[in-house]
Amino acid sequence: MIPYGKQYISEEDIAAVTETLKSDFLTQGPKINEFEEKFAQYIGVKYAVAVANGTAALHLSAMALNVNKNSKVITTPITFAASANCVRYCGGEIVFADIDSATALIDIEKIKELLAASPQGTYQGIIPVDLAGYPVNLEKLRALANEYGLWIIEDACHAPGGYFTDSKGIQQKCGNCVYTQLAMFSFHPVKHIACGEGGMITTNDEELYKKLISLRTHGITKDPELMHENHGGWYYEIQELGYNYRLSDINAALGVSQLKRADANLQKRKAISKKYDNAFANNTNIKLIQPAAGFSHAYHLYIIQVENRKGLYDYLKQNNIFAQVHYIPVTMLPYYKELGYNTKCYPNANAYYEKCLSIPMYASLTDEEQDFVIAKVLEFVV
Ligand SMILES: Cc1ncc(COP(=O)(O)O)c(C=O)c1O
């Protein structure tokens, strides 16, 4: 069986987790700090906050930016629903801007139209998604966001190691928060770094960082400078409503160990994508999304677009190749439909959904397995 994505766990990973299991700390111990520091260094950002999963990272990010029942936030319909759900958790309204068919990323021109159609102050923020690992042009998005005073949370779950080159020629790594308030990542097993479950929020803003640390643990503070009273060494205060969204030290130990191979694995993903690109280059019935000049794709997913997507999906499955669809437009999901979203408003997302298929892409995919996948795709799509 060849899945579309899977984790790679080395003997070193197992040893790292075992060491933590034998230690004094299973949660919020030294591995959390180490993971946060090393991840921040890898991404090139000041602060990183480890949390239970990517969805918790989105929820806390929305909370930290004060999303509430009066908030309107823009995202893409082609994403995992968590990018939109986080706004709903806080009682806010999520508004979808259609995608650009060339990249399958949120179309910045469509965002511009939405913003121009409402009075200033209608919207509070934007959650762009680096779909499949293709970095959003955050410099361009920041310029637009500045016109309307909006914050940006980059959903970089698919893109650790990806970057775009800005107008000054600087390579801006996904999640480095040079053009955003916050960014977030997931360490679900199919992602670049597997923790089992895990997530990370990154930021350069000290105030947001402190708020996130507090919200991650019930809004608890033990800092004598911040407390209203102090009854003794045991005393703490809950000063705002937070959650238990902590990552365990066990998961963090796995994350630290996986992070060591992040660059090597990214190179492997790039080699796999190049081989697919070459294999499909002459087949006009397979549409590929190639990153524009200056954009370095992180290849969480390798997505092709074909006319008979269901036929190809079924054919691959018969051959024990388990492809996947990323994504069903969020606007088509019953929960969102019932909220009143009109699926017809997102023609590019709908057209993309009809054709997209993610074929196997993961660092441990062997040459033989990839050859088999290529052969089966080309047998079906002639
Ligand atoms: C784009 C995107 N956003 C958010 C999430 C949520 O992450 P998690 O599954 O770790 O909660 C995912 C993961 O599936 C994702 O792919």
Side-chain angles (χ1 to χ4, degrees):
M1 169 187 142
I2 308 177
Y4 80 90
K6 76 170 171 189
Q7 72 274 20
Y8 170 53
I9 303 293
S10 69
E11 287 304 320
E12 200 185 331
D13 292 339
I14 293 167
V17 171
T18 306
E19 195 186 315
T20 292
L21 283 171
K22 290 178 181 166
S23 78
D24 288 339
F25 296 96
L26 295 190
T27 191
Q28 293 290 293
K31 286 291 164 189
I32 294 293
N33 287 343
E34 187 182 345
F35 190 29
E36 290 175 339
E37 275 168 27
K38 289 187 170 158
F39 191 80
Q41 214 170 20
Y42 177 67
I43 295 296
V45 67
K46 259 196 200 156
Y47 305 107
V49 179
V51 292
N53 53 59
T55 305
L58 280 161
H59 186 187
L60 289 192
S61 297
M63 283 179 77
L65 291 164
N66 300 316
V67 174
N68 59 48
K69 63 179 175 25
N70 301 316
S71 305
K72 262 184 153 183
V73 175
I74 298 170
T75 195
T76 167
I78 298 297
T79 183
F80 183 58
S83 321
N85 291 351
C86 61
V87 172
R88 298 294 305 137
Y89 298 153
C90 300
E93 183 184 340
I94 192 86
V95 176
F96 297 94
D98 204 0
I99 61 164
D100 174 351
S101 302
T103 60
L105 303 177
I106 196 165
D107 185 343
I108 295 178
E109 292 306 313
K110 288 278 172 0
I111 301 177
K112 203 182 266 181
E113 286 169 21
L114 273 175
L115 295 172
S118 304
Q120 276 276 0
T122 303
Y123 291 92
Q124 277 71 54
I126 310 171
I127 306 178
V129 179
D130 304 313
L131 181 76
Y134 192 147
V136 169
N137 186 335
L138 293 172
E139 184 184 27
K140 201 169 159 195
L141 191 60
R142 178 78 263 156
L144 177 61
N146 281 351
E147 283 180 42
Y148 291 85
L150 308 183
W151 49 253
I152 300 173
I153 302 171
E154 179 188 9
D155 181 336
C157 284
H158 297 183
Y163 63 82
F164 75 98
T165 312
D166 71 10
S167 60
K168 297 184 198 89
I170 301 170
Q171 291 177 354
Q172 302 290 357
K173 246 184 161 180
C174 295
N176 74 0
C177 297
V178 165
Y179 292 107
T180 64
Q181 275 63 35
L182 297 169
M184 48 71 59
F185 297 84
S186 161
F187 306 125
H188 176 279
V190 296
K191 302 292 196 288
H192 289 65
I193 294 164
C195 282
E197 295 282 359
M200 193 76 85
I201 308 167
T202 52
T203 187
N204 292 313
D205 183 318
E206 190 181 357
E207 230 170 88
L208 283 174
Y209 169 69
K210 285 184 179 161
K211 186 151 192 170
L212 289 164
I213 293 286
S214 160
L215 290 172
R216 170 176 74 178
T217 306
H218 301 281
I220 284 178
T221 185
K222 289 181 182 171
D223 182 345
E225 303 236 320
L226 298 176
M227 293 193 301
H228 298 94
E229 299 171 33
N230 195 345
H231 304 174
W234 66 89
Y235 189 71
Y236 61 83
E237 287 185 351
I238 289 183
Q239 297 183 337
E240 57 188 336
L241 191 63
Y243 291 82
N244 176 358
Y245 277 164
R246 294 188 297 267
L247 186 69
S248 81
D249 248 38
I250 307 166
N251 298 94
L254 182 54
V256 169
S257 184
Q258 290 254 315
L259 187 56
K260 289 183 194 158
R261 296 198 303 280
D263 276 332
N265 286 346
L266 185 59
Q267 291 318 314
K268 185 75 207 298
R269 284 176 185 270
K270 287 191 174 183
I272 292 168
S273 80
K274 190 135 222 79
K275 185 164 163 175
Y276 277 141
D277 289 350
N278 292 337
F280 301 143
N282 295 326
N283 189 321
T284 51
N285 294 318
I286 300 176
K287 183 181 166 195
L288 306 176
I289 292 177
Q290 300 286 6
F295 287 73
S296 188
H297 203 294
Y299 291 106
H300 161 52
L301 302 169
Y302 191 89
I303 300 175
I304 61 175
Q305 292 174 68
V306 295
E307 282 302 324
N308 184 3
R309 189 268 311 279
K310 182 166 188 313
L312 177 59
Y313 173 90
D314 291 340
Y315 184 71
L316 294 178
K317 196 167 170 190
Q318 281 162 26
N319 286 283
N320 278 326
I321 300 166
F322 291 82
Q324 186 53 278
V325 168
H326 297 94
Y327 287 94
I328 306 162
V330 179
T331 46
M332 282 188 188
L333 301 171
Y335 169 75
Y336 281 93
K337 260 201 208 157
E338 281 162 26
L339 286 177
Y341 293 95
N342 179 355
T343 56
K344 293 202 180 77
C345 296
Y346 316 97
N348 294 347
N350 297 344
Y352 162 86
Y353 169 57
E354 288 301 312
K355 295 180 183 169
C356 68
L357 194 65
S358 304
I359 59 174
M361 164 60 84
Y362 46 91
S364 59
L365 185 71
T366 65
D367 260 355
E368 295 70 36
E369 286 168 334
Q370 192 180 5
D371 288 340
F372 183 67
V373 173
I374 290 168
K376 292 298 153 190
V377 170
L378 291 176
E379 258 172 42
F380 191 85
V381 189
V382 287

